[in-house]
Amino acid sequence: MPVNNVVKLLEKDHAKCLSTHMAHIETQINPSNAPMFTGTKSIYSDPVFESLLNFVKPKIEESYGKELVPTYSFWRTYFKTQDCPPHTDRPSCEVSVTLCIDASHKEDMWAISVEDKTYKLNVGEGVIYNGCTQEHWRHELQYDWHRQVFLHYIEKNGQFYPEFKYDKRQNLYENMQISG
């Protein structure tokens, strides 16, 4: 499996535009009641971020070293004192990217741990890892809020293709759902 890499995927202005989109939607949805993520706000398959899957895919493929097929996007805003417990993900997350969109505190950004390494991502940067096999987590958030998107792919010639292409949907823009 390729080494975990941090990749610059977005310019700050692009990330700020996405953050503004997320902030607007956050005002219209209820916090999650899912056990691991109570109080966060998140959206599965937001069309804006589904488009981002394809927009950044060439940079991710170049860094990862293999041709990829998008499965789904999922964004989440965490708030002070929330965390992300250690976990692995389902087959649609064979190649995962956690991309920092924005944060209330721009210095000493909230770190994500992937197995034995910790990454502090600046706005517009993402870390690539194998979401199915590499345990990943975040400790308690120390500042007011942090916005990120998870971009998920499978290897075009890998074990999960074609079954998990588009997360078993007809296309990327199907079934935008509020999580929680």
Side-chain angles (χ1 to χ4, degrees):
M1 186 195 81
V3 176
N4 301 115
N5 294 317
V6 173
V7 180
K8 172 80 171 181
L9 296 171
L10 300 175
E11 295 302 320
K12 287 185 180 177
D13 284 349
H14 190 180
K16 186 65 175 172
C17 178
L18 295 173
S19 179
T20 300
H21 170 76
M22 293 168 74
H24 176 71
I25 291 177
E26 286 169 18
T27 66
Q28 301 176 43
I29 62 175
N30 293 322
S32 174
N33 59 7
M36 278 182 34
F37 302 107
T38 301
T40 63
K41 293 197 174 186
S42 53
I43 298 284
Y44 169 90
S45 185
D46 180 328
V48 170
F49 289 97
E50 295 289 90
S51 177
L52 189 65
L53 279 164
N54 285 316
F55 181 75
V56 300
K57 187 168 80 98
K59 290 181 183 179
I60 295 167
E61 287 175 327
E62 181 180 342
S63 179
Y64 188 76
K66 293 186 180 180
E67 189 175 355
L68 302 174
V69 175
T71 57
Y72 73 97
S73 65
F74 185 86
W75 64 254
R76 177 175 284 133
T77 300
Y78 290 88
F79 300 96
K80 192 171 188 168
T81 73
Q82 295 174 334
D83 65 5
C84 178
H87 67 285
T88 56
D89 296 311
R90 56 197 175 90
S92 292
C93 308
E94 180 179 29
V95 179
S96 294
V97 178
T98 295
L99 171 57
C100 179
I101 298 297
D102 202 359
S104 63
H105 183 81
K106 304 296 192 280
E107 298 82 36
D108 197 27
M109 296 289 273
W110 196 28
I112 179 169
S113 296
V114 179
E115 294 195 335
D116 61 348
K117 288 191 81 174
T118 300
Y119 304 89
K120 287 193 177 185
L121 305 172
N122 293 312
V123 170
E125 291 180 336
V127 63
I128 303 168
Y129 55 97
N130 187 302
C132 304
T133 60
Q134 291 187 290
E135 191 172 57
H136 48 282
W137 67 93
R138 289 180 178 231
H139 295 293
E140 187 176 288
L141 179 62
Q142 300 298 310
Y143 47 88
D144 291 339
W145 54 266
H146 185 93
R147 292 188 181 115
Q148 63 189 26
V149 63
F150 308 98
L151 303 172
H152 300 292
Y153 303 87
I154 53 175
E155 293 179 7
K156 174 98 186 243
N157 297 312
Q159 64 179 327
F160 300 118
Y161 182 83
E163 182 180 359
F164 291 93
K165 178 181 179 181
Y166 307 139
D167 203 25
K168 296 187 174 185
R169 298 172 290 160
Q170 290 297 312
N171 61 64
L172 287 179
Y173 301 97
E174 184 178 293
N175 300 332
M176 184 176 99
Q177 298 173 7
I178 296 173
S179 257

